[in-house]
Each structure stands twice: as structure tokens, then as C-alpha cells.
Amino acid sequence: MATLLPPPKRQKVYHGIPAPEPEPPKQSPHIVVQFVNEEDGQPLAPAVNLPANVSREGLEALVNKLNTKDEDPVPFAFHISLPADATTPGAPTRIAIAKSIEEDVLSHPSHAFTPEDVFVVHCSPQAVFKVRPATRCSSTLSGHTSPILCASFSPTGNLLATGAGDCNARLWDLFTETPSHVLSGHKGWVLCVEWEAMERKLATGGHDGHVRLWDPKTGKPIGDALKGHTKWVTSLSWEPIHLNPSAPRLASSSKDGTVRVWSTLTRRCEYTLGGHTASVNVVRWGGGGLNGKGVLYTASSDRTVRIWDAEQGRPLHTLKEHAHWVTTLTLNTDFVLRTGPFDHLGKKTTSDSEAQSLALKRYNALVSTAGELLITGSDDHTLFLWSLFPSRTSSGDASAAAAERGGKLKPLARLTGHQRQVSHVAFSPDGRWAASAAWDNSVRVWDGRTGKFVATLRGHVAAVYRLAWSADSRLLVSASKDSTLKIWDLKTYKIKTDLPGHTDEVYCVDFVADKLVSGGRDRTVKM
């Protein structure tokens, strides 16, 4: 008996029409790519011819292979700048490559690129460590009996301090997420809390005009209040560790128009900076200066920003560009100065001098490229980017020219685009980005070295009060009047995670390691 073959397979028919032929996979065009360094625009390697569908990870591996300077592979972020005629106002000015050049650039809605072009890909090295974005509220801590006005992590990220309208500051332990101490002593709202960069002391400033120092280990006050201001204290800033490791001084600015610098050893006011004619809103202690001895930056409601020499307290510059109150000020070195000798590796320092050299090393690594930059934001809806002390490696011509003109340095850039008052501006820890929040419900991201506009982050439905960057500069979080926090993804310029949970306006937010802390009008701390 011969074997019967099974009948041939019936062809599948759709309503009497045979199935279409399967499409052959699309050929990916080959393109010429030139990798350039984002800082100086120098080519990292000769132009290479690649298939357009090489993934982002493939590009990163390729750049690390071609770039012979660094031994260890470095993570890179890639972006392509849109040509000026293809950008629509308000849209991002650059395309970040998240998947591959083919998917992100060639199929970009602006159709600015064809496979014939030479693609200039800007590579910016990223932090070696990665911060996990917060996704949920792990604990809600109540304890304050009135709105929380300020929150700040300690430099190592083990403790959190919050100040509130109930005249108390509180310390929280972040490992157990429990309250550790109540710091009571102020007679008015606690408006600002600031950690010394070695985590040995905590300073709080109150509506009563007093500045108080606390020992964070015991929660006891160190001596009595530092009195001298006639109105409330608006902000505090410690002297950087790399200038004074053993006993850094503290600067406090006040509504009475003065800035006082206190010695923590003698508990006396070393000198007072008068000169502003209205409330001083922010004070920052920068690490650079003409002789590297430190400078004080103060921003005031008299529309000026003043720069002082921190050694004797003599005025160096007055910046009069803003047309309204200057309410916020940020340095590209803020994060390094605030964390002092502590980096993401978490090793302990044994002596003050070792801490000093570590802090100085971290500071110089950041300043060597662009110098200490400053961004001021004002109620006139604009921001200015200033470079007052060019980096020590660059030529002395710029500083000499500035000295000739009586120190009137012009701003590098005017950052316009907000439609309402600017509430907060913050540099990312690596100084590459700056973000500004405003009362127009938006957050804008700028290039931290040139001040060029990068993108607008929209999503809040009310004024945005505060911003905080993650330590690796990859995530930005914003706190708003609409009672939410939003974490933004800087590759797509879209919301990464929305963190609801507060029942009223969120006034303060801070980011450390992979913990995020927020406090607001609903009197609870969430992390």
C-alpha cells in the first residue's frame, strides 16, 4: 500500500482574497556620523559610516572604542541639534537619541534630516552611577503642626532636616524613615535650614531674625541664637569645606537688606554687608573668586545682584540687569559645595585636611571647564547667566578686561521664555544643565554652559515652586502648587513619573541617592 501524501495546505483566504505577500524588511540607510565632544565641539573620532539603525547602546560602545583617552568605558548621552530653520518656537531645540538615529532623527516630525546629511552627534559623558527614579511614596511622616517651608538632606544623605511654620525644625532619620529630633527654639516660622558640608552642624534661620546652630547627632542647640538681624532671615549659606575645613563660617541674608557673616567659633558676627537697599532674598557662598578665597553672591529685591569678597567683605561687582526683584540664584557648583568631601562612593574622611583636599579636588574638577557660573532669576520673567570669574585654566585676558571696565561684566546670556515670575532656578550637579521653574506652570531646561534654550517641560496645572536634580543629573523633579511632584525624563522631555499624594501645595522638595523628599502645606513629609 503506497503512502498517501497529505493534501497540500490550503491557502488562507480573507473574504475570498488571498493573503498579501509578506513585506521584505526595510533596508536601513547608511549614514555618515561625526561624534563631537559637547563641551568644546572637538571631534572625538573621524567621521564613520554606520547603518542608521544602530542602537544607542551600540553608539555608546562605538564612541568608547574610538575614544582612546579614557581607559574605562564612560556612559554617554547623545543629541543632535536641530538646524535653526527647522525649530518651531517653544519646541525642543535638540533631539536626544534614545533608541537609534533612524527612529529618533530620521523619523522626527520636523523632517530636517535626510540620510544624505552628515550627522553631527554631540556626546556628553554622564555620571558613572545611576539614580533610580522614585515611583511610590514609601512613608508619610507627620509631626509638624503647620505648613513645611523648607527641607534639606544632609550631605551624606543619612539625615533630613525640615523647617516649618510651627517654629520648630525637625530632624528625620532616612534609614528608618522616622523622626529623630525636634529642634525648638525659634520664636517664629523656620524659613530656611542649611547643613554644613561635613554634616557636623545644622543652621536654621527664622522669621524672628535669629539664626540658630544645632548639633545633628544629639538634636541639641549649640549655644544661643545668633542675633543681629532686625527682620526675618531669608537664606543661609555655609563657607565651602575646601576653603575652611575645620570651622566654616555661615552667611545669613535677611529682609532687613543686610547679609551677616558669623564665625561659628566665637559666635560673633564677623562683618555685615550693607549696600542693598531692599530685602536680600538669596545668599550663596561660592568657592572661587579672584584669589580663590571665596566670594559671596547676594540677590536682592532692589533689582541687583552683588558680589562680595568673602575674606574682608568688600564689594567686588554689582550686576544691574534685572528689571524687577531678583528672587533666586544658583551656582553651577552648588551641589559640589553642598556635599563637600562626600561623593557617591560614600567613603568616610578621617581628618579635616583630607576632607579639604577631597572637596577641593571635586570642586576643581567641575570648575576647570567653564569656571563658576551663576544664574539669577527674577520677577521680570527672565534669567541671566553670568560668568564672573573665568576658569583659572583659561587666559587671564577676560578677567583683565573685566577689571579695566570697573568689573562690570556683561551676562553671557539672557534666558527668556517664561511668561510669569521665575520662582526657582537650579543647576544640575554636573553643571551641564540648568532648569528654571516659574508661575506660568512650566519648567524650562537650558544648556548650563551657554544658556541656550533646550526644552519646556509642561504638565503642571499650577505654579511650579521648587526644583531638585538627582545626583547623576539625569532626572529633574519639580514641586508645584497643584499638590503633585513630577519627575521628568531628560531624554524625551516628558513626565517620567507623576507623584501625587500631597493634599495641598508642595513647597519644598529635595533629592538624594534614590530618595525624594517633599513637604508642603498639608503639614506632612513624604519620601
Side-chain angles (χ1 to χ4, degrees), residues 402-430:
E404 276 170 30
R405 287 178 309 194
K408 282 189 194 55
L409 290 166
K410 284 275 169 273
L412 290 183
R414 181 166 189 237
L415 317 185
T416 57
H418 280 299
Q419 271 104 45
R420 299 283 302 276
Q421 289 93 329
V422 178
S423 56
H424 189 213
V425 56
F427 263 107
S428 65
D430 61 7

Side-chain angles (χ1 to χ4, degrees), residues 20-36:
E21 290 285 309
E23 279 185 30
K26 274 219 309 252
Q27 280 283 305
S28 173
H30 274 247
I31 52 173
V32 177
V33 176
Q34 169 81 62
F35 293 107
V36 301

Side-chain angles (χ1 to χ4, degrees), residues 37-50:
N37 185 341
E38 195 211 9
E39 272 127 48
D40 45 15
Q42 294 300 320
L44 291 173
V48 283
N49 192 348
L50 312 167

Side-chain angles (χ1 to χ4, degrees), residues 90-96 416 418 433-436 442-447 452-458 476 488-494:
T93 53
R94 51 173 74 170
I95 311 169
T416 57
H418 280 299
W433 307 94
S436 58
S442 74
V443 176
R444 281 172 184 262
V445 180
W446 316 85
D447 184 309
K452 288 203 171 49
F453 167 75
V454 177
T456 309
L457 310 177
R458 298 193 185 280
L476 172 68
W488 304 90
D489 182 1
L490 289 175
K491 283 204 178 84
T492 56
Y493 308 116
K494 299 268 187 302

Side-chain angles (χ1 to χ4, degrees), residues 383-397:
L383 303 106
F384 282 100
L385 170 68
W386 312 83
S387 168
L388 299 166
F389 304 104
S391 57
R392 303 194 193 124
T393 50
S394 72
S395 63
D397 309 342

